[in-house]
Amino acid sequence: MTEVNALALTERERELLPTDDEVRFFAEHGWYLSKKLLSDDEVDELAAAVDRYYEGERSRRLPSRPPRLAYWEPAHGDVQRHNDYVHYESDGIAKALLKPIIGAVAARLAEASEIRVFQSTLIYKPPIADEPSNVVPWHFDKHYWSSSSSDRMLTAFIPFHDCDEELGTITMVDGSHRWEEVGFDDSTTRHFADRDHDHLEDLLSANAAHNGVSVSKIPMIIPKGHMSFHHCRTYHGSAANRSTRPRQAISLHLQDGDNAFRDFRLADGTSAFYNHDSLVRRTHDGRPDYADPEFCPPLWRS
């Protein structure tokens, strides 16, 4: 992989960091809309690298194919596309995703001294209003990360263009990261594409009722070069793309420096699995190392 840029910010980049009030807002609401972190030219470069990726260009390939890998290929057709590990497979894509300013913003929000990449997923919603796969049901990311020890993980959602409700932008359930959870079972550790959408809608309602709150849905209206951040326990989803152009974005999942593998047991006694577990190096005691710089490069250290 290309080496990570020096973990330092310019004076102008420091002005882009969340203020103390914005950090408090994130702690209360579970989401944050950033300032312009990427220039238009940088976004256009990223989009061009993605075009080449879809055409088959790879800087390297994963050494093996994890069992739960999201990996759209042309044979899958005109559905919503998901491709994991794009920061690993494409140096052109990584150039934008590994900018220290993204990690520095995440560190402020998570109140962490170090931020590493956890995963990156390339997403493409075709402009087909009635395509079922375009609708992302309500869920939160920590469910899939049960083998991670940290509750401070977060995600940056990075569109390649102005992103609004017509395009099916990401939508947050305000303050839901602070809810006490009910209804957890082994099925919640599966990806939302493998779960019943009606059940997920019912689960959201049940959790809101348990916490004595109403469901407040906040669509993220994101200008080009800006990005939204959300807490790993913030419920979110997205509606259909009703526009005439694709909605293209990357979900950049981030981990704080304290995050590590934990053995999370399911009801049948087996351990929860994440794709990293078959790729990353091992720690001295044999556990998957979520600090492996090959797959989880550092973005920021204070």
Side-chain angles (χ1 to χ4, degrees):
M1 295 182 65
T2 54
E3 291 188 10
V4 177
N5 297 331
L7 303 183
L9 302 182
T10 65
E11 183 64 35
R12 179 187 171 279
E13 285 176 323
R14 284 195 287 272
E15 295 173 357
L16 301 176
L17 294 174
T19 65
D20 290 346
D21 284 345
E22 289 169 332
V23 172
R24 285 189 286 268
F25 180 95
F26 180 81
E28 179 180 354
H29 295 271
W31 58 270
Y32 167 72
L33 185 61
S34 82
K35 304 173 181 70
K36 191 177 180 74
L37 302 185
L38 299 177
S39 70
D40 286 351
D41 286 346
E42 287 175 318
V43 177
D44 291 343
E45 279 188 46
L46 171 59
V50 166
D51 287 344
R52 297 193 300 273
Y53 178 92
Y54 282 137
E55 291 167 358
E57 179 184 281
R58 301 291 187 275
S59 304
R60 66 196 55 77
R61 297 274 183 173
L62 289 172
S64 63
R65 191 179 183 96
R68 297 181 183 176
L69 183 69
Y71 208 85
W72 178 89
E73 295 172 332
H76 298 154
D78 211 5
V79 296
Q80 184 174 189
R81 310 175 189 178
H82 284 227
N83 289 82
D84 291 337
Y85 292 100
V86 291
H87 69 285
Y88 176 86
E89 289 202 322
S90 169
D91 289 343
I93 294 174
K95 181 180 177 182
L97 299 187
L98 301 187
K99 287 196 68 176
I101 182 60
I102 299 175
V105 170
R108 283 278 291 157
L109 298 174
E111 300 183 77
S113 60
E114 179 181 352
I115 292 291
R116 303 187 298 262
V117 172
F118 190 68
Q119 179 61 277
S120 60
T121 302
L122 176 61
I123 306 169
Y124 175 106
K125 276 192 181 189
I128 305 173
D130 58 355
E131 168 52 47
S133 66
N134 273 351
V135 177
V136 176
W138 303 108
H139 66 284
F140 63 76
D141 300 328
K142 180 61 177 175
H143 276 155
Y144 316 140
W145 302 337
S146 297
S147 61
S148 286
S149 63
S150 175
D151 279 325
R152 290 193 290 169
M153 299 170 73
L154 66 169
T155 294
F157 179 77
I158 309 171
F160 307 165
H161 44 69
D162 294 343
C163 196
D164 58 18
E165 290 183 86
E166 185 181 30
L167 281 156
T169 190
I170 190 169
T171 298
M172 310 299 179
V173 177
D174 196 52
S176 54
H177 67 304
R178 296 186 289 114
W179 293 356
E180 180 182 65
E181 184 182 5
V182 295
F184 175 86
D185 58 35
D186 287 357
S187 72
T188 60
T189 64
R190 299 200 306 264
H191 191 269
F192 62 77
D194 300 323
R195 300 171 66 193
D196 180 79
H197 286 206
D198 291 338
H199 174 66
L200 288 169
E201 185 77 36
D202 292 342
L203 194 60
L204 173 65
S205 299
N207 274 273
H210 175 76
N211 286 272
V213 297
S214 59
V215 175
S216 176
K217 300 174 182 178
I218 312 293
M220 297 289 100
I221 310 303
I222 309 173
K224 182 178 179 178
H226 299 240
M227 53 193 75
S228 70
F229 289 77
H230 62 267
H231 188 278
C232 64
R233 289 188 176 274
T234 298
Y235 273 98
H236 58 283
S238 63
N241 181 2
R242 297 178 284 103
S243 77
T244 58
R245 57 193 176 98
R247 195 208 76 177
Q248 296 185 266
I250 288 175
S251 281
L252 180 60
H253 305 302
L254 303 167
Q255 56 177 320
D256 57 280
D258 292 333
N259 186 53
F261 171 86
R262 64 171 179 171
D263 187 12
F264 186 88
R265 296 291 172 145
L266 304 175
D268 63 0
T270 61
S271 298
F273 175 86
Y274 189 73
N275 283 330
H276 286 352
D277 302 346
S278 64
L279 292 172
V280 299
R281 68 190 183 187
R282 292 301 189 260
T283 60
H284 65 88
D285 55 359
R287 295 175 298 131
D289 185 1
Y290 289 174
D292 182 347
E294 185 173 8
F295 297 98
C296 304
L299 283 188
W300 179 252
R301 293 190 187 100
S302 61

